[in-house]
Amino acid sequence: MSEKSKFSGCPATGVGSMPGGDAREAAKTVTGSFADGQGMPHLAELPARGPGADMIGRTIGMLVEMYGHVEPSGWRISDRPGRDTKRARSWLGEDLDALEEFTQGYEGLLKVQAVGPWTLAAALELRGGEAMLGDPGACRDLAGSLAEGLRAHLADVRRRVPGAQVVLQLDEPSLTAVLLGRVRSASGYRTYRAVDRQVVEGALREVLAVRGDGPGTVHSCAPEVPFALLRRAGADGISFDFSLLTEREEEAIGEAVEGGTQLFLGVVPGTDAGSAGLSDPGGSVMGVRTLWSRLGLNPGTLTQSVVITPSCGLAGASPAYARAALAHCARAARSLADNPE
């Protein structure tokens, strides 16, 4: 259970994306929402700005000796860094500048996000238009390039915010589809062969390892999160949409908690359609209390084991709702701490 200390003092956080295109406004919202021990601020992503600001484009901009450009079908591998790669790097720099401005003197956990190797392999096209996922050698090269790029990115963030303990989050919404052979080809008429679980685990372990002594989490807002595989790959925390959890996964949840894995529970809706629920912080975490009871877990461990988040990114929300949702995550976490049973 000692791993839990890696996330001590983090009752709530955001997932990654925010609405709009103003980097300073997003950084101000994220840091303000989780000030004074309310939670963990994170580096905001602003996909509304266009290609290169989306999570795939941002991560491609971090790769080492591997580049991408935008085609009508999505991101495709390039021989050299063109306009799209340069734009992605420029926007990342702008977001980092804004985060640095609003974290002067900050000490505590600070989260950064990047797309994991398997969702990236499913999204990035080779020159012929097929996904990199279909080429095992290309997948290995991609994981290595991503690991090197993230190592440099984490060093940059630590330099900019020297008091922070940087948390690396890998976004892997396509991971389950990769494992089950559900990723469709460019034509849509076939699917790519399922990737061996040991190969998947190995690449995740390689990329997560770049965090060093800092915490590492994996996020997926897709159903059927492979909890045991992620834990074996070295994830200290697993972030997921709580509403998609089924009884089949409850045993894996119990094992994760008992093994010291932090659960980032997405219980707050990610769009304005969920605004009605923002009036009842206790109601937002009622299902968490019920799950703990059903699994026979000690309610006293809730605040050690759980971080409250939105169900997914907030890019599709209005700016006002995004601010309210992050503040609600902090209030819901407080409710859980004050009344765990």
Side-chain angles (χ1 to χ4, degrees), residues 66 75-77 116-127 129-143 172-186 190-197 199-201 203-204:
M66 195 175 281
W75 283 90
R76 185 170 294 181
I77 206 79
W118 296 107
T119 295
L120 199 58
L124 183 55
E125 298 175 354
L126 296 168
R127 290 172 183 82
E130 290 296 333
M132 195 172 271
L133 184 64
D135 183 332
C139 288
R140 285 193 296 273
D141 291 344
L142 181 63
E172 281 284 13
S174 298
L175 181 60
T176 300
V178 167
L179 288 166
L180 299 178
R182 294 175 182 170
V183 178
R184 294 204 165 273
S185 65
R190 65 180 181 86
T191 55
Y192 292 98
R193 182 179 301 172
V195 181
D196 181 87
R197 296 180 80 85
V199 174
V200 169
E201 183 183 321
L204 285 168

Side-chain angles (χ1 to χ4, degrees), residues 277 279-289 328 331-333 335-336 339:
S279 60
D280 183 10
S284 293
V285 290
M286 189 180 300
V288 180
R289 296 188 185 98
H328 185 79
R331 287 198 301 272
S335 168
L336 203 57
N339 184 19

Side-chain angles (χ1 to χ4, degrees), residues 266-320:
V267 301
V268 178
T271 63
D272 294 54
S275 58
L278 299 191
S279 60
D280 183 10
S284 293
V285 290
M286 189 180 300
V288 180
R289 296 188 185 98
T290 302
L291 174 65
W292 237 246
S293 174
R294 197 158 60 239
L295 292 176
L297 296 168
N298 178 0
T301 66
L302 266 170
T303 54
Q304 303 168 27
S305 303
V306 166
V307 177
I308 299 300
T309 76
S311 58
C312 208
L314 294 168
S318 66

